[in-house]
Amino acid sequence: MFDYLIVGAGFAGAVLAERLAGEMGKKVLIVDKRHHIGGNAFDCYNGAGILIHPYGPHIFHTNSSDVFEYLSKFTAWRPYEHRVLGSVDGQLVPIPINLTTVNTLYGLELNSFQLEEFFESRAEKVEQVKTSEDVVVSKVGRELYEKFFQGYTRKQWGLDPSELDASVTARVPTRTSKDDRYFTDKFQAMPLHGYTRMFERMLHHPNIKIMLGTDYREIVDEIKWDRMIYTGPVDAFFDFRYGKLPYRSLEFVHETHNLETFQPAGTVNYPNNQPYTRISEFKYITGQKHSQTSVVYELPRAEGDPYYPIPRAENQELYKKYQALTELETRVHFVGRLATYKYYNMDQVVGQALATFRRIQEAALEKVEVKASATLGVRSSVNGTVMTK
Ligand code: FAD
Ligand code: UDP
């Protein structure tokens, strides 16, 4: 008998398995249909001995000291600040758009104040910023929007930025300084020995059993379990009752080259003519020293494994219908990027899973208190301290 059946061994599932077993002594079975743990953050050594991310580049960054401290129990870190170049008009220039980007593209020598004026003179007035197009044209104008955002977004999502929520392109800021870091979070670091090693340490507990290469549906009626944590796609859980919830997929093309380095930055974005959105080179990200180098191309797809929820109003409406069903499932917690249909980064998923755990723990404490009060005739409890009359 398992106290918890956890579907999915990615961040959401692994954090909850670790907390439930480690903090509450629960017996946990964690099952994943893939043949490895780690979900999309899984990493491994390829045939050349280079540490790669099979599901695309995963760069850890967070402003949450709680999340960073929590994960630090399972890994040491290598400080890493990611940098991205955009291939535009035959040049490689920093993205997010910054002072260097504009000066290089237009052959100018603006300072930060002048760049602010440059942006203001080109920015379009938008009454209410609603879409991913609004976000960018209202800041930098249409020309830079078209060069950097429109083509990339159409490729990545199969939709024009005007059809996507503002939150999508709002992930990428605009800067008037020369700061060329992709992220500005307080904590930016990679697990020193990789994500998979970190996941192994999280799941190494006598109360946690791991079952890989298994769809939970194959075993859900065969084994005894009390509660479930579900981290797969929410529409699949309900057999697509209201129709398919759109998720965007990617095809990853991996290559290894007999070169010290393939490109001048960890990631190069291709907003325009190529079928891929970006190429990432792992050695920048992992810090590994090797005489060869491995890269991954990302080619957006409508069909395939679900990687990205697609943030737009009509999808959110459909998700709300599924969410209403999740609320009726009293024995199941829905957690993670696919199960809550949220375009979350790794740290946000960890934060969400830790919050779920706190709720589970609080509910368990309340239950104990109710039991205690029933047996002892206790009337009230304050701050978890049982008060007797
Ligand atoms: P997942 O990692 O998707 O785990 C869910 C697991 O459930 C999967 O392993 C799946 O196989 C399993 N599952 C589903 N259905 C079933 C079933 N029926 N039975 C059994 N198992 C099942 N975040 C960052 O912070 N930084 C980045 O740089 C970054 N880069 C990214 C790049 C790409 C290309 C992608 C796609 C995502 C990126 N992310 C990044 C986001 C990050 O991958 C997610 O936030 C995180 O991995 C989500 O964890 P999760 O546990 O919710 O889901
Ligand atoms: N984006 C873009 N051009 C870029 C980088 C990003 O148009 O050079 C847009 C695009 O819509 C992308 C979104 O901004 O999907 C978020 O970018 P991010 O790099 O955060 O995407 P992720 O790493 O999640 O795939």
Side-chain angles (χ1 to χ4, degrees):
M1 169 80 179
F2 291 98
D3 297 311
Y4 281 86
L5 170 61
I6 301 190
V7 180
F11 267 104
V15 168
L16 276 154
E18 187 282 324
R19 293 282 76 196
L20 288 164
E23 281 290 304
M24 292 178 76
K26 298 292 182 192
K27 284 205 152 105
V28 173
L29 174 65
I30 184 164
V31 44
D32 203 301
K33 61 182 183 188
R34 290 171 171 165
H35 291 271
H36 58 72
I37 57 173
N40 288 336
F42 169 70
D43 55 13
C44 62
Y45 287 87
N46 66 10
I50 298 171
L51 184 59
I52 63 159
H53 300 173
Y55 304 101
H58 277 69
I59 294 115
F60 187 80
H61 56 101
T62 189
N63 281 316
S64 162
S65 35
D66 282 353
V67 166
F68 193 70
E69 268 167 37
Y70 170 71
L71 292 177
S72 299
K73 295 203 270 187
F74 312 103
T75 187
W77 300 93
R78 166 185 173 263
Y80 173 68
E81 291 182 324
H82 194 51
R83 287 181 168 76
V84 179
L85 297 170
S87 171
V88 169
D89 294 345
Q91 305 197 69
L92 293 181
V93 291
I95 174 92
I97 294 171
N98 71 5
L99 188 57
T100 317
T101 313
V102 172
N103 282 340
T104 311
L105 269 186
Y106 295 106
L108 298 171
E109 286 182 22
L110 304 179
N111 61 33
S112 292
F113 297 107
Q114 292 165 324
L115 180 58
E116 218 155 283
E117 288 167 8
F118 176 99
F119 286 151
E120 273 165 25
S121 70
R122 281 165 171 75
E124 287 183 12
K125 254 218 154 73
V126 177
E127 285 304 317
Q128 214 191 343
V129 174
K130 281 194 186 146
T131 71
S132 270
E133 175 182 311
D134 297 342
V135 171
V136 186
V137 298
S138 67
K139 267 200 212 135
V140 301
R142 198 151 291 272
E143 188 171 301
L144 286 168
Y145 160 76
E146 283 171 358
K147 284 185 195 297
F148 286 90
F149 287 89
Q150 192 172 37
Y152 186 112
T153 302
R154 284 183 175 169
K155 253 195 283 193
Q156 168 72 9
W157 301 96
L159 293 167
D160 189 80
S162 60
E163 300 171 289
L164 278 167
D165 283 3
S167 59
V168 176
T169 53
R171 288 166 63 90
V172 184
T174 304
R175 305 206 181 105
T176 51
S177 67
K178 284 188 180 166
D179 187 351
D180 63 348
R181 295 170 304 160
Y182 204 63
F183 308 111
T184 49
D185 301 52
K186 190 163 158 201
F187 304 98
Q188 303 189 44
M190 295 294 294
L192 188 61
H193 302 291
Y195 290 100
T196 303
R197 185 73 74 82
M198 179 179 78
F199 277 96
E200 281 166 4
R201 294 185 65 183
M202 289 170 84
L203 296 176
H204 183 74
H205 190 284
N207 281 7
I208 301 177
K209 298 274 173 288
I210 305 172
M211 191 184 265
L212 298 175
T214 310
D215 191 310
Y216 82 102
R217 286 163 191 269
E218 294 165 30
I219 52 127
V220 69
D221 298 324
E222 307 299 319
I223 54 152
K224 284 202 164 62
W225 53 273
D226 186 26
R227 281 167 181 272
M228 181 189 288
I229 308 280
Y230 179 81
T231 76
V234 64
D235 57 348
F237 185 90
F238 295 104
D239 296 322
F240 309 100
R241 192 177 308 174
Y242 300 128
K244 272 198 156 187
L245 198 47
Y247 292 91
R248 192 73 174 155
S249 192
L250 290 172
E251 183 184 339
F252 300 103
V253 176
H254 289 267
E255 285 177 357
T256 295
H257 294 270
N258 283 322
L259 295 168
E260 190 65 37
T261 51
F262 178 83
Q263 60 186 27
T267 295
V268 176
N269 284 358
Y270 291 87
N272 298 310
N273 300 327
Q274 292 73 6
Y276 42 85
T277 50
R278 58 186 179 191
I279 305 177
S280 299
E281 185 167 356
F282 293 108
K283 287 202 305 183
Y284 284 97
I285 299 167
T286 61
Q288 190 181 1
K289 302 274 175 263
H290 199 289
S291 58
Q292 293 174 297
T293 194
S294 293
V295 297
V296 64
Y297 294 67
E298 291 173 54
L299 292 97
R301 295 281 181 258
E303 299 299 325
D305 279 356
Y307 290 123
Y308 289 84
I310 305 178
R312 61 192 308 226
E314 62 193 75
N315 298 350
Q316 194 53 29
E317 251 169 58
L318 181 54
Y319 167 64
K320 289 270 173 232
K321 290 173 77 177
Y322 280 111
Q323 193 188 18
L325 294 180
T326 68
E327 278 155 19
L328 303 175
E329 296 288 331
T330 50
R331 292 171 71 202
V332 186
H333 297 271
F334 294 80
V335 193
R337 177 152 145 147
L338 303 172
T340 60
Y341 203 66
K342 298 217 163 53
Y343 185 4
Y344 271 174
N345 294 327
M346 295 181 280
D347 65 318
Q348 294 170 297
V349 171
V350 173
Q352 189 192 41
L354 291 175
T356 304
F357 174 70
R358 279 193 295 274
R359 281 198 300 277
I360 291 172
Q361 207 177 24
E362 277 163 21
L365 277 176
E366 265 168 36
K367 224 171 166 181
V368 170
E369 281 175 12
V370 170
K371 248 192 199 158
S373 59
T375 45
L376 298 172
V378 173
R379 305 295 284 271
S380 61
S381 89
V382 176
N383 292 337
T385 315
V386 177
M387 310 276 290
T388 42
K389 274 223 155 174

